Structures are given as C-alpha cells and as structure tokens.
Coordinates of all heavy atoms in Angstrom, one line a residue:
M1 N -18.4 -6.4 -2.9 CA -18.4 -6.5 -1.4 C -19.5 -7.3 -0.9 O -20.4 -7.6 -1.6 CB -18.2 -5.1 -0.8 CG -19.5 -4.4 -0.8 SD -20.7 -4.9 0.4 CE -19.9 -4.5 1.9
A2 N -19.5 -7.6 0.4 CA -20.5 -8.4 1.0 C -21.0 -8.0 2.4 O -21.3 -8.8 3.2 CB -20.0 -9.8 1.0
F3 N -20.8 -6.7 2.6 CA -21.1 -6.3 4.0 C -22.6 -6.3 4.4 O -22.9 -6.2 5.5 CB -20.5 -4.9 4.3 CG -19.1 -4.9 4.1 CD1 -18.4 -4.2 3.1 CD2 -18.3 -5.7 4.9 CE1 -17.1 -4.3 2.9 CE2 -16.9 -5.8 4.8 CZ -16.3 -5.1 3.8
A4 N -23.4 -6.5 3.4 CA -24.8 -6.6 3.7 C -25.2 -8.1 4.0 O -26.3 -8.4 4.2 CB -25.6 -6.1 2.6
T5 N -24.2 -9.0 3.9 CA -24.4 -10.4 4.2 C -23.9 -10.8 5.5 O -23.1 -10.1 6.1 CB -23.7 -11.3 3.1 OG1 -22.3 -11.2 3.3 CG2 -24.1 -10.8 1.7
E6 N -24.3 -12.0 6.0 CA -23.8 -12.5 7.3 C -22.4 -12.7 7.3 O -21.7 -12.5 8.2 CB -24.6 -13.8 7.6 CG -26.0 -13.6 8.2 CD -26.6 -14.8 8.6 OE1 -25.9 -15.8 9.0 OE2 -27.8 -14.9 8.5
E7 N -21.9 -13.2 6.1 CA -20.5 -13.5 6.0 C -19.7 -12.3 6.3 O -18.6 -12.3 7.0 CB -20.2 -14.0 4.6 CG -18.8 -14.4 4.3 CD -18.5 -14.6 2.8 OE1 -19.6 -14.7 2.1 OE2 -17.4 -14.7 2.4
A8 N -20.1 -11.2 5.8 CA -19.4 -9.9 6.0 C -19.3 -9.5 7.4 O -18.4 -8.8 7.8 CB -20.0 -8.8 5.1
L9 N -20.4 -9.8 8.2 CA -20.4 -9.4 9.6 C -19.2 -10.1 10.3 O -18.9 -9.6 11.4 CB -21.7 -9.8 10.2 CG -22.9 -9.0 9.6 CD1 -24.2 -9.5 10.2 CD2 -22.7 -7.5 9.8
E10 N -18.6 -11.1 9.8 CA -17.5 -11.7 10.4 C -16.1 -11.0 10.0 O -15.1 -11.5 10.3 CB -17.4 -13.2 10.0 CG -18.6 -14.0 10.6 CD -18.7 -15.3 10.0 OE1 -17.8 -15.8 9.3 OE2 -19.7 -16.0 10.2
A11 N -16.3 -10.0 9.2 CA -15.1 -9.4 8.7 C -14.2 -8.9 9.9 O -14.7 -8.2 10.8 CB -15.5 -8.2 7.8
P12 N -12.9 -9.2 9.8 CA -12.1 -8.9 10.9 C -11.5 -7.4 10.9 O -11.9 -6.7 10.0 CB -10.9 -9.9 10.8 CG -10.9 -10.1 9.3 CD -12.3 -9.9 8.8
E13 N -10.6 -7.1 11.8 CA -9.8 -5.9 11.7 C -10.6 -4.6 11.8 O -10.9 -4.0 10.8 CB -9.0 -5.9 10.4 CG -8.1 -7.1 10.2 CD -8.0 -7.4 8.8 OE1 -8.1 -6.5 8.0 OE2 -7.9 -8.6 8.4
G14 N -11.0 -4.3 13.0 CA -11.7 -3.0 13.1 C -13.1 -3.0 12.6 O -13.7 -4.0 12.3
N15 N -13.7 -1.8 12.6 CA -15.1 -1.7 12.2 C -15.3 -0.8 11.1 O -16.3 -0.1 11.0 CB -16.0 -1.4 13.4 CG -15.5 -0.1 14.0 OD1 -14.5 0.5 13.6 ND2 -16.3 0.4 15.0
W16 N -14.3 -0.7 10.2 CA -14.4 0.3 9.1 C -15.7 0.0 8.2 O -16.2 1.0 7.7 CB -13.2 0.3 8.2 CG -12.8 -1.1 7.7 CD1 -11.9 -1.9 8.3 CD2 -13.2 -1.7 6.5 NE1 -11.8 -3.1 7.5 CE2 -12.6 -3.0 6.4 CE3 -14.1 -1.3 5.5 CZ2 -12.8 -3.8 5.4 CZ3 -14.3 -2.2 4.5 CH2 -13.7 -3.5 4.4
W17 N -16.1 -1.2 8.1 CA -17.3 -1.5 7.3 C -18.6 -0.8 7.8 O -19.6 -0.8 7.1 CB -17.5 -3.0 7.0 CG -17.7 -3.8 8.3 CD1 -18.9 -4.1 8.8 CD2 -16.7 -4.4 9.1 NE1 -18.7 -4.8 10.0 CE2 -17.4 -5.1 10.2 CE3 -15.3 -4.5 9.1 CZ2 -16.7 -5.7 11.1 CZ3 -14.7 -5.2 10.1 CH2 -15.4 -5.8 11.1
D18 N -18.5 -0.4 9.1 CA -19.7 0.4 9.6 C -20.0 1.6 8.7 O -21.1 2.1 8.7 CB -19.4 0.8 11.0 CG -19.5 -0.3 12.1 OD1 -20.0 -1.4 11.7 OD2 -19.2 -0.1 13.2
Q19 N -18.9 2.1 8.1 CA -19.0 3.3 7.4 C -19.2 3.0 5.8 O -19.1 4.0 5.0 CB -17.9 4.2 7.6 CG -17.7 4.6 9.1 CD -16.4 5.3 9.3 OE1 -16.2 6.5 8.9 NE2 -15.5 4.7 9.9
A20 N -19.3 1.8 5.5 CA -19.4 1.4 4.1 C -20.6 2.1 3.4 O -21.7 2.1 4.0 CB -19.5 -0.1 4.0
N21 N -20.3 2.6 2.3 CA -21.4 3.3 1.5 C -22.4 2.3 1.0 O -23.6 2.7 0.7 CB -20.8 4.0 0.3 CG -21.5 5.3 0.0 OD1 -22.2 5.9 0.8 ND2 -21.4 5.7 -1.3
C22 N -22.1 1.0 1.0 CA -23.0 0.0 0.5 C -23.8 -0.7 1.5 O -24.6 -1.6 1.2 CB -22.1 -1.0 -0.3 SG -20.8 -1.7 0.7
L23 N -23.7 -0.2 2.7 CA -24.5 -0.9 3.8 C -26.0 -0.6 3.4 O -26.4 0.5 3.1 CB -24.3 -0.2 5.1 CG -23.1 -0.7 5.9 CD1 -23.0 0.0 7.2 CD2 -23.2 -2.2 6.2
G24 N -26.7 -1.7 3.4 CA -28.1 -1.6 3.0 C -28.4 -1.6 1.5 O -29.6 -1.7 1.1
V25 N -27.4 -1.6 0.7 CA -27.6 -1.6 -0.7 C -27.7 -3.1 -1.1 O -27.0 -4.0 -0.5 CB -26.4 -1.0 -1.5 CG1 -26.5 -1.1 -3.0 CG2 -26.3 0.5 -1.1
D26 N -28.5 -3.4 -2.1 CA -28.7 -4.8 -2.5 C -27.3 -5.5 -2.9 O -26.6 -5.0 -3.8 CB -29.6 -4.8 -3.7 CG -29.8 -6.2 -4.3 OD1 -29.3 -7.2 -3.7 OD2 -30.6 -6.3 -5.2
P27 N -26.9 -6.5 -2.1 CA -25.6 -7.2 -2.4 C -25.5 -7.7 -3.8 O -24.3 -7.8 -4.3 CB -25.6 -8.3 -1.4 CG -26.6 -8.1 -0.4 CD -27.6 -7.2 -1.0
D28 N -26.6 -8.0 -4.4 CA -26.5 -8.5 -5.8 C -25.8 -7.6 -6.7 O -25.2 -7.9 -7.7 CB -27.9 -8.9 -6.3 CG -28.5 -10.1 -5.7 OD1 -27.7 -10.8 -5.0 OD2 -29.7 -10.4 -5.9
L29 N -26.0 -6.3 -6.4 CA -25.3 -5.2 -7.2 C -23.8 -5.4 -7.3 O -23.2 -5.2 -8.3 CB -25.7 -3.9 -6.6 CG -25.5 -2.6 -7.5 CD1 -26.6 -2.7 -8.5 CD2 -25.7 -1.4 -6.6
F30 N -23.3 -6.0 -6.2 CA -21.8 -6.1 -6.1 C -21.3 -7.5 -6.5 O -20.1 -7.7 -6.6 CB -21.4 -5.8 -4.6 CG -21.6 -4.4 -4.2 CD1 -22.8 -4.0 -3.7 CD2 -20.6 -3.5 -4.4 CE1 -23.1 -2.7 -3.4 CE2 -20.8 -2.1 -4.1 CZ -22.1 -1.7 -3.6
F31 N -22.3 -8.3 -6.9 CA -21.9 -9.6 -7.4 C -22.7 -9.9 -8.7 O -23.5 -10.7 -8.8 CB -22.2 -10.7 -6.4 CG -21.4 -10.6 -5.1 CD1 -21.9 -9.9 -4.0 CD2 -20.1 -11.1 -5.1 CE1 -21.1 -9.8 -2.9 CE2 -19.3 -11.0 -4.0 CZ -19.8 -10.4 -2.8
P32 N -22.3 -9.1 -9.7 CA -23.1 -9.2 -10.9 C -22.8 -10.5 -11.7 O -21.8 -11.1 -11.5 CB -22.6 -8.0 -11.8 CG -21.2 -7.7 -11.2 CD -21.3 -8.1 -9.8
E33 N -23.8 -10.9 -12.5 CA -23.5 -12.1 -13.3 C -22.4 -11.8 -14.2 O -22.1 -10.7 -14.5 CB -24.8 -12.4 -14.2 CG -26.0 -12.7 -13.4 CD -25.9 -14.1 -12.8 OE1 -25.4 -15.0 -13.4 OE2 -26.3 -14.3 -11.6
R34 N -21.7 -12.9 -14.6 CA -20.6 -12.8 -15.6 C -21.0 -11.9 -16.8 O -22.0 -12.2 -17.4 CB -20.2 -14.2 -16.0 CG -18.8 -14.2 -16.6 CD -18.5 -15.6 -16.9 NE -17.1 -15.7 -17.3 CZ -16.1 -15.8 -16.5 NH1 -16.3 -15.9 -15.2 NH2 -14.8 -15.9 -17.0
G35 N -20.2 -10.9 -17.0 CA -20.5 -10.1 -18.2 C -21.4 -8.9 -18.0 O -21.6 -8.1 -18.8
A36 N -22.1 -8.9 -16.8 CA -23.1 -7.9 -16.5 C -22.3 -6.6 -16.1 O -21.1 -6.6 -15.7 CB -24.0 -8.3 -15.4
S37 N -23.0 -5.5 -16.1 CA -22.4 -4.2 -15.8 C -22.0 -4.1 -14.3 O -22.7 -4.5 -13.4 CB -23.3 -3.1 -16.2 OG -22.7 -1.8 -15.7
T38 N -20.9 -3.5 -14.1 CA -20.4 -3.2 -12.7 C -20.5 -1.7 -12.4 O -20.1 -1.3 -11.3 CB -19.0 -3.7 -12.5 OG1 -18.1 -3.0 -13.4 CG2 -18.8 -5.2 -12.7
R39 N -21.1 -1.0 -13.3 CA -21.1 0.4 -13.2 C -21.8 1.0 -11.9 O -21.3 1.8 -11.3 CB -21.7 1.0 -14.4 CG -21.6 2.5 -14.5 CD -22.2 3.1 -15.7 NE -21.7 2.4 -17.0 CZ -22.1 2.6 -18.2 NH1 -23.1 3.5 -18.4 NH2 -21.6 2.0 -19.2
E40 N -23.0 0.4 -11.7 CA -23.7 0.9 -10.5 C -23.0 0.6 -9.2 O -22.9 1.5 -8.3 CB -25.1 0.2 -10.4 CG -26.2 0.8 -11.3 CD -27.5 0.1 -11.1 OE1 -28.2 0.4 -10.1 OE2 -27.8 -0.8 -11.9
A41 N -22.4 -0.6 -9.1 CA -21.7 -0.9 -7.9 C -20.5 0.0 -7.7 O -20.2 0.6 -6.6 CB -21.2 -2.4 -7.9
K42 N -19.8 0.2 -8.8 CA -18.6 1.1 -8.7 C -19.0 2.6 -8.4 O -18.2 3.3 -7.7 CB -17.8 1.0 -10.0 CG -17.1 -0.3 -10.2 CD -16.3 -0.3 -11.5 CE -15.5 -1.6 -11.6 NZ -14.8 -1.7 -12.8
A43 N -20.2 3.0 -8.8 CA -20.6 4.3 -8.5 C -20.8 4.4 -7.0 O -20.5 5.5 -6.4 CB -21.9 4.6 -9.3
V44 N -21.4 3.4 -6.4 CA -21.6 3.4 -4.9 C -20.2 3.5 -4.2 O -20.0 4.2 -3.3 CB -22.3 2.1 -4.4 CG1 -22.4 2.1 -2.9 CG2 -23.7 2.1 -5.0
C45 N -19.3 2.7 -4.7 CA -17.9 2.6 -4.2 C -17.2 4.0 -4.3 O -16.4 4.4 -3.4 CB -17.0 1.6 -4.9 SG -17.6 -0.1 -4.6
R46 N -17.5 4.7 -5.4 CA -16.8 6.0 -5.6 C -17.1 7.0 -4.4 O -16.3 7.8 -4.1 CB -17.2 6.6 -6.9 CG -16.2 6.4 -8.0 CD -16.3 7.3 -9.2 NE -17.6 7.1 -9.8 CZ -17.9 6.1 -10.7 NH1 -17.0 5.2 -11.0 NH2 -19.1 6.0 -11.2
G47 N -18.3 6.9 -3.9 CA -18.7 7.8 -2.8 C -18.4 7.2 -1.4 O -18.9 7.7 -0.4
C48 N -17.6 6.2 -1.4 CA -17.3 5.5 -0.1 C -16.0 5.9 0.6 O -15.0 5.9 -0.1 CB -17.3 4.0 -0.4 SG -17.0 3.0 1.1
I49 N -16.1 6.3 1.8 CA -14.9 6.8 2.5 C -14.0 5.7 3.0 O -12.9 6.0 3.4 CB -15.3 7.8 3.7 CG1 -16.1 7.0 4.7 CG2 -16.0 9.0 3.2 CD1 -16.3 7.8 6.0
V50 N -14.5 4.5 2.9 CA -13.6 3.4 3.4 C -13.2 2.5 2.2 O -12.9 1.3 2.4 CB -14.3 2.5 4.5 CG1 -14.4 3.4 5.8 CG2 -15.6 2.0 4.1
S51 N -13.2 3.0 1.0 CA -12.9 2.1 -0.1 C -11.5 1.6 -0.1 O -11.2 0.4 -0.5 CB -13.2 2.9 -1.4 OG -12.3 4.0 -1.5
D52 N -10.5 2.3 0.5 CA -9.2 1.8 0.6 C -9.1 0.6 1.5 O -8.5 -0.4 1.2 CB -8.2 2.9 1.1 CG -7.9 4.0 0.0 OD1 -8.3 3.8 -1.1 OD2 -7.3 5.0 0.4
D53 N -9.8 0.7 2.7 CA -9.8 -0.4 3.6 C -10.5 -1.6 3.0 O -10.1 -2.7 3.1 CB -10.6 0.0 4.9 CG -9.9 1.1 5.6 OD1 -8.9 0.9 6.2 OD2 -10.5 2.3 5.6
C54 N -11.6 -1.3 2.3 CA -12.3 -2.4 1.6 C -11.4 -3.1 0.6 O -11.4 -4.3 0.5 CB -13.5 -1.8 0.9 SG -14.5 -2.9 0.0
L55 N -10.8 -2.4 -0.2 CA -9.9 -2.9 -1.2 C -8.8 -3.8 -0.6 O -8.5 -4.9 -1.0 CB -9.3 -1.8 -2.1 CG -8.3 -2.3 -3.2 CD1 -9.0 -3.3 -4.2 CD2 -7.7 -1.2 -4.0
E56 N -8.1 -3.2 0.4 CA -7.0 -3.9 1.1 C -7.5 -5.2 1.7 O -6.9 -6.3 1.7 CB -6.4 -3.0 2.1 CG -5.6 -1.9 1.5 CD -4.5 -2.4 0.5 OE1 -3.9 -3.4 0.7 OE2 -4.4 -1.7 -0.5
Y57 N -8.7 -5.2 2.3 CA -9.3 -6.4 2.9 C -9.5 -7.4 1.8 O -9.1 -8.6 2.0 CB -10.7 -6.0 3.5 CG -11.4 -7.2 4.0 CD1 -11.2 -7.7 5.3 CD2 -12.4 -7.9 3.2 CE1 -11.8 -8.8 5.7 CE2 -13.0 -9.0 3.6 CZ -12.8 -9.5 4.9 OH -13.4 -10.6 5.4
A58 N -10.0 -7.0 0.7 CA -10.3 -8.0 -0.4 C -9.0 -8.5 -0.9 O -8.9 -9.8 -1.2 CB -11.1 -7.3 -1.5
L59 N -8.0 -7.7 -1.0 CA -6.7 -8.2 -1.6 C -6.0 -9.2 -0.6 O -5.5 -10.2 -1.0 CB -5.7 -7.0 -1.8 CG -6.1 -6.0 -3.0 CD1 -5.2 -4.8 -2.9 CD2 -6.0 -6.8 -4.3
R60 N -6.1 -8.8 0.7 CA -5.5 -9.7 1.7 C -6.2 -11.0 1.8 O -5.5 -12.0 2.1 CB -5.6 -9.0 3.1 CG -4.4 -8.3 3.6 CD -4.4 -8.0 5.1 NE -5.6 -7.5 5.6 CZ -6.0 -6.2 5.5 NH1 -5.3 -5.3 4.9 NH2 -7.2 -5.8 6.0
N61 N -7.4 -11.0 1.6 CA -8.2 -12.3 1.7 C -8.5 -12.9 0.4 O -9.2 -13.9 0.3 CB -9.5 -12.0 2.4 CG -9.3 -11.6 3.9 OD1 -9.0 -12.4 4.7 ND2 -9.4 -10.3 4.2
S62 N -7.8 -12.4 -0.7 CA -7.9 -13.0 -2.0 C -9.4 -13.2 -2.4 O -9.8 -14.3 -2.9 CB -7.2 -14.3 -2.1 OG -5.8 -14.1 -1.8
E63 N -10.2 -12.2 -2.1 CA -11.6 -12.3 -2.5 C -11.7 -12.5 -4.0 O -11.2 -11.8 -4.8 CB -12.4 -11.1 -2.1 CG -12.5 -10.9 -0.6 CD -13.5 -11.9 0.0 OE1 -14.3 -12.5 -0.8 OE2 -13.6 -12.0 1.2
K64 N -12.4 -13.6 -4.4 CA -12.4 -14.0 -5.8 C -13.6 -13.3 -6.5 O -13.6 -13.3 -7.7 CB -12.4 -15.5 -6.0 CG -11.1 -16.1 -5.5 CD -10.9 -17.4 -6.3 CE -9.5 -18.0 -6.0 NZ -8.8 -17.4 -4.8
F65 N -14.6 -13.0 -5.7 CA -15.8 -12.6 -6.4 C -16.3 -11.2 -5.9 O -16.0 -10.8 -4.8 CB -17.0 -13.6 -6.1 CG -16.7 -15.0 -6.5 CD1 -16.3 -15.9 -5.6 CD2 -16.6 -15.3 -7.9 CE1 -16.0 -17.2 -5.9 CE2 -16.3 -16.6 -8.2 CZ -16.0 -17.5 -7.3
G66 N -17.0 -10.5 -6.8 CA -17.6 -9.2 -6.3 C -16.7 -8.0 -6.6 O -15.6 -8.1 -6.9
I67 N -17.4 -6.9 -6.3 CA -16.7 -5.6 -6.4 C -16.3 -5.2 -5.0 O -17.2 -5.1 -4.1 CB -17.7 -4.5 -7.0 CG1 -18.2 -4.9 -8.3 CG2 -17.0 -3.2 -7.1 CD1 -17.2 -5.1 -9.4
W68 N -15.1 -4.9 -4.8 CA -14.6 -4.5 -3.5 C -13.7 -3.2 -3.7 O -12.9 -3.2 -4.7 CB -13.7 -5.5 -2.9 CG -14.4 -6.8 -2.5 CD1 -14.8 -7.8 -3.3 CD2 -14.8 -7.2 -1.2 NE1 -15.4 -8.8 -2.6 CE2 -15.4 -8.5 -1.3 CE3 -14.7 -6.6 0.1 CZ2 -15.9 -9.2 -0.2 CZ3 -15.1 -7.3 1.2 CH2 -15.8 -8.6 1.0
G69 N -13.9 -2.2 -3.0 CA -13.1 -1.0 -3.1 C -13.2 -0.4 -4.5 O -12.3 0.2 -5.0
G70 N -14.3 -0.7 -5.1 CA -14.5 -0.2 -6.5 C -13.8 -0.9 -7.6 O -13.8 -0.5 -8.7
M71 N -13.3 -2.1 -7.2 CA -12.6 -2.9 -8.2 C -13.2 -4.3 -8.4 O -13.6 -4.9 -7.5 CB -11.1 -3.1 -7.9 CG -10.3 -1.8 -8.0 SD -8.5 -2.3 -7.9 CE -7.8 -0.6 -8.1
S72 N -13.2 -4.7 -9.7 CA -13.7 -6.0 -10.0 C -12.6 -7.0 -9.7 O -11.4 -6.7 -9.4 CB -14.0 -6.1 -11.5 OG -12.7 -5.9 -12.2
E73 N -12.9 -8.3 -9.7 CA -11.9 -9.4 -9.5 C -10.7 -9.2 -10.4 O -9.6 -9.3 -10.0 CB -12.6 -10.7 -9.7 CG -11.7 -11.9 -9.4 CD -12.2 -13.2 -10.1 OE1 -13.3 -13.2 -10.5 OE2 -11.4 -14.1 -10.2
R74 N -11.0 -9.0 -11.7 CA -9.9 -8.8 -12.7 C -9.0 -7.7 -12.3 O -7.8 -7.7 -12.4 CB -10.5 -8.7 -14.1 CG -9.4 -8.8 -15.1 CD -9.8 -8.4 -16.5 NE -11.1 -8.9 -16.9 CZ -11.7 -8.5 -18.0 NH1 -11.0 -7.7 -18.9 NH2 -12.9 -8.9 -18.4
E75 N -9.6 -6.6 -11.9 CA -8.8 -5.4 -11.6 C -8.0 -5.6 -10.3 O -6.8 -5.2 -10.2 CB -9.7 -4.2 -11.4 CG -10.4 -3.7 -12.7 CD -11.5 -2.7 -12.4 OE1 -12.3 -2.9 -11.4 OE2 -11.7 -1.9 -13.3
R76 N -8.6 -6.4 -9.4 CA -7.8 -6.7 -8.2 C -6.6 -7.6 -8.5 O -5.6 -7.5 -7.9 CB -8.7 -7.3 -7.1 CG -9.7 -6.3 -6.5 CD -10.3 -6.9 -5.3 NE -11.0 -8.2 -5.4 CZ -12.2 -8.4 -5.8 NH1 -12.9 -7.3 -6.2 NH2 -12.7 -9.6 -5.9
R77 N -6.9 -8.6 -9.4 CA -5.8 -9.5 -9.8 C -4.6 -8.7 -10.4 O -3.5 -9.0 -10.1 CB -6.3 -10.5 -10.9 CG -6.6 -11.8 -10.3 CD -6.5 -12.9 -11.4 NE -7.1 -12.6 -12.6 CZ -8.4 -12.9 -12.9 NH1 -9.2 -13.5 -12.0 NH2 -9.0 -12.5 -14.1
R78 N -5.0 -7.7 -11.1 CA -3.9 -6.8 -11.8 C -3.1 -6.1 -10.7 O -1.9 -6.1 -10.7 CB -4.6 -5.8 -12.7 CG -3.6 -5.2 -13.7 CD -4.3 -4.2 -14.6 NE -5.5 -4.8 -15.3 CZ -6.6 -4.1 -15.5 NH1 -6.7 -2.9 -15.2 NH2 -7.6 -4.7 -16.1
V79 N -3.8 -5.6 -9.6 CA -3.1 -4.9 -8.5 C -2.2 -5.9 -7.8 O -1.1 -5.6 -7.5 CB -4.1 -4.3 -7.5 CG1 -3.4 -3.8 -6.3 CG2 -4.9 -3.2 -8.2
R80 N -2.7 -7.2 -7.6 CA -1.9 -8.2 -6.9 C -0.6 -8.5 -7.7 O 0.4 -8.6 -7.1 CB -2.7 -9.4 -6.6 CG -3.5 -9.4 -5.3 CD -3.9 -10.7 -4.8 NE -4.6 -11.5 -5.7 CZ -5.9 -11.5 -5.8 NH1 -6.6 -10.8 -5.0 NH2 -6.6 -12.3 -6.7
R81 N -0.8 -8.6 -9.0 CA 0.3 -9.0 -9.9 C 1.3 -7.8 -9.8 O 2.5 -8.0 -9.7 CB -0.2 -9.2 -11.3 CG -0.4 -10.6 -11.6 CD -0.4 -10.9 -13.1 NE -1.2 -10.0 -13.9 CZ -2.5 -10.2 -14.2 NH1 -3.1 -11.4 -13.8 NH2 -3.3 -9.4 -14.8
Q82 N 0.8 -6.6 -9.9 CA 1.7 -5.4 -9.9 C 2.5 -5.4 -8.6 O 3.7 -5.1 -8.6 CB 0.9 -4.2 -10.1 CG 1.7 -2.9 -10.3 CD 2.6 -3.0 -11.5 OE1 2.2 -3.4 -12.6 NE2 3.9 -2.8 -11.3
R83 N 1.8 -5.6 -7.5 CA 2.5 -5.5 -6.2 C 3.5 -6.6 -6.1 O 4.6 -6.4 -5.5 CB 1.4 -5.6 -5.1 CG 0.6 -4.4 -4.9 CD -0.2 -4.5 -3.7 NE -1.1 -3.3 -3.5 CZ -1.9 -3.1 -2.5 NH1 -2.1 -4.1 -1.6 NH2 -2.6 -2.0 -2.5
A84 N 3.2 -7.8 -6.6 CA 4.2 -8.9 -6.5 C 5.4 -8.6 -7.3 O 6.5 -8.8 -6.9 CB 3.5 -10.2 -7.0
L85 N 5.1 -8.0 -8.5 CA 6.2 -7.6 -9.3 C 7.1 -6.5 -8.6 O 8.3 -6.6 -8.7 CB 5.7 -7.0 -10.6 CG 6.7 -6.8 -11.8 CD1 7.2 -8.2 -12.3 CD2 5.9 -6.1 -13.0
T86 N 6.5 -5.6 -8.0 CA 7.2 -4.5 -7.3 C 8.0 -5.1 -6.2 O 9.2 -4.7 -6.0 CB 6.2 -3.5 -6.7 OG1 5.4 -3.0 -7.8 CG2 6.9 -2.3 -6.0
R87 N 7.4 -6.1 -5.4 CA 8.2 -6.7 -4.3 C 9.4 -7.5 -4.9 O 10.5 -7.4 -4.3 CB 7.3 -7.7 -3.6 CG 6.4 -7.1 -2.5 CD 5.9 -8.1 -1.6 NE 5.1 -9.1 -2.3 CZ 3.8 -9.0 -2.5 NH1 3.1 -7.9 -2.1 NH2 3.1 -9.9 -3.1
R88 N 9.2 -8.2 -6.0 CA 10.3 -8.9 -6.6 C 11.4 -8.0 -7.0 O 12.6 -8.3 -6.8 CB 9.9 -9.8 -7.7 CG 9.7 -11.3 -7.3 CD 9.2 -12.1 -8.5 NE 7.8 -12.2 -8.5 CZ 7.0 -12.1 -9.6 NH1 7.5 -12.1 -10.8 NH2 5.7 -12.2 -9.5
T89 N 11.0 -6.9 -7.7 CA 12.0 -6.0 -8.2 C 12.8 -5.3 -7.0 O 14.0 -5.2 -7.1 CB 11.3 -4.8 -9.0 OG1 10.5 -5.4 -10.0 CG2 12.3 -3.9 -9.6
A90 N 12.0 -5.0 -6.0 CA 12.7 -4.4 -4.8 C 13.6 -5.3 -4.1 O 14.7 -4.9 -3.5 CB 11.6 -3.9 -3.8
A91 N 13.3 -6.6 -4.1 CA 14.1 -7.6 -3.5 C 15.4 -7.9 -4.3 O 16.3 -8.6 -3.8 CB 13.3 -8.9 -3.3
G92 N 15.4 -7.4 -5.5 CA 16.6 -7.6 -6.4 C 16.5 -8.9 -7.1 O 17.3 -9.7 -7.3
Ligands
LIG1 S1 -15.7 0.4 -1.4 FE1 -17.6 -0.2 -2.2 S2 -17.8 -2.3 -1.7 FE2 -16.3 -1.5 -0.4 S3 -17.3 -0.8 1.5 FE3 -17.2 0.9 0.1 S4 -19.1 0.9 -1.1 FE4 -18.9 -1.1 -0.1

C-alpha cells in the first residue's frame, strides 16, 4: 500500500484509508525488494479494519506493486484471474 505517500492521498472513493493500520508505518515495508519478505507488512494488514477496502481498491486500480489488503502482487493477480474465470463461467 502507499497511504503514507503523497500519491496515496489522492486515493478516491471515501476516506477509508484514514483508518488504515499502516498510516505512519514506513512505506518501504509495503514495497519490499524483489524476493524480500512480506511478512511484516502482512502482519500490519492483518490488524487492519479496512483491509477489504484496501484490497478492492488495489484490484480495481490494477496496482502492480506493493502489499495491499494483505496481499502481494502475485496473490492479487490470482484473485483477478479467479474472478475473471467466475465471471466467464457465470456468463455461460
Ligand atoms: S490492508 Fe494493509 S496496506 Fe491496506 S490499509 Fe490496511 S494496513 Fe494498509
């Protein structure tokens, strides 16, 4: 996530990020180097009451980097694929 950055302050749709557990936490934690641990960031997300909003925001905006809603980019890609598959199946 990036709510501690200026970019994040432009986040649309309500003010749920006001309640983000990661406010004030070092943003670098949420943008680890390739192959670095995401455990600490995910631990912050686990205690976050707006993690669903955060995840949906990232999915809607196709955020390519960072931990959002407790999920890595790869995990979010999996969710997007699964949802696309579900939509296709439902559409027949
Ligand atoms: S889910 Fe994680 S990244 Fe998203 S707002 Fe909460 S603490 Fe921040």
Side-chain angles (χ1 to χ4, degrees):
M1 77 71 70
F3 298 113
T5 70
E6 282 184 29
E7 183 189 347
L9 295 175
E10 295 166 13
E13 307 144 30
N15 57 354
W16 53 266
W17 62 90
D18 283 351
Q19 300 172 72
N21 214 24
C22 53
L23 277 180
V25 177
D26 182 358
D28 287 350
L29 199 66
F30 293 86
F31 295 95
E33 295 290 321
R34 197 176 187 84
S37 172
T38 58
R39 189 179 305 173
E40 275 184 83
K42 288 180 174 178
V44 176
C45 294
R46 262 197 299 282
C48 181
I49 62 171
V50 294
S51 61
D52 287 350
D53 297 291
C54 178
L55 178 60
E56 290 306 320
Y57 174 85
L59 291 171
R60 263 197 315 279
N61 292 285
S62 301
E63 290 289 347
K64 293 206 173 16
F65 305 104
I67 305 296
W68 294 77
M71 286 193 183
S72 66
E73 182 201 344
R74 193 194 313 177
E75 290 165 331
R76 292 196 304 276
R77 258 204 315 269
R78 201 178 307 143
V79 171
R80 275 203 300 271
R81 267 201 307 270
Q82 187 59 51
R83 286 185 182 181
L85 192 65
T86 303
R87 275 197 302 272
R88 259 181 267 140
T89 306

